[in-house]
Amino acid sequence: MPITKSAKKALRQNKTRRVRNIKKIVAYKATVKDFRKLVAAGKKDEAKKMLPKVYQTLDKAAKSGVIKKNKASRLKSNTARLLAKLAK
C-alpha cells in the first residue's frame, strides 16, 4: 500500500485510468467482433454501414494510447479487406 500522499493519489489515478482504458478496449474489441460476425453471415450492407463505427472506435483507442497507432491501422486494413472480399 502507498504511504506518501503523492503515492496515494497516483494509486487513485491509476485505478480510474485503468477503468477508462478497459472500457475502450472492450468497446473496440466488441465492434470489431460484431463487424466480423456480419461479414461471416454475409450481410454486406450492414457491414458497410458499421465500418465507420469500427474505424471510429479504433481511432479513439489509438488516440488515447490504449492500443498503438499501427495496430489500429492494421485492424482497420483487415476489416476493410474483409469487406472487399465479401463484395466480390
Side-chain angles (χ1 to χ4, degrees), residues 7-24:
K8 289 177 184 177
K9 181 179 179 181
L11 181 67
R12 286 196 311 270
Q13 288 175 328
N14 286 338
K15 286 180 181 177
T16 56
R17 288 176 184 159
R18 178 174 164 75
V19 169
R20 192 180 312 138
N21 288 341
I22 288 174
K23 282 182 184 177
K24 288 181 184 176

Side-chain angles (χ1 to χ4, degrees), residues 28 31 50-62 76:
Y28 95 78
T31 54
M50 191 173 182
L51 193 63
K53 184 167 175 47
V54 173
Y55 283 4
Q56 182 184 26
T57 53
L58 288 171
D59 286 336
K60 282 185 177 182
K76 284 163 50 174

Side-chain angles (χ1 to χ4, degrees), residues 10-88:
L11 181 67
R12 286 196 311 270
Q13 288 175 328
N14 286 338
K15 286 180 181 177
T16 56
R17 288 176 184 159
R18 178 174 164 75
V19 169
R20 192 180 312 138
N21 288 341
I22 288 174
K23 282 182 184 177
K24 288 181 184 176
I25 290 169
V26 168
Y28 95 78
K29 284 188 177 182
T31 54
V32 170
K33 190 175 181 180
D34 292 342
F35 178 82
R36 288 190 176 149
K37 283 182 184 177
L38 288 174
V39 170
K43 299 179 180 177
K44 185 173 71 170
D45 294 333
E46 293 178 34
K48 202 171 193 177
K49 288 179 184 175
M50 191 173 182
L51 193 63
K53 184 167 175 47
V54 173
Y55 283 4
Q56 182 184 26
T57 53
L58 288 171
D59 286 336
K60 282 185 177 182
K63 181 181 177 184
S64 61
V66 172
I67 58 173
K68 295 199 181 219
K69 190 174 130 184
N70 285 345
K71 180 174 181 173
S73 296
R74 185 177 68 245
L75 289 172
K76 284 163 50 174
S77 173
N78 289 342
T79 54
R81 196 175 322 141
L82 280 173
L83 187 62
K85 196 181 283 186
L86 180 65
K88 286 185 180 179

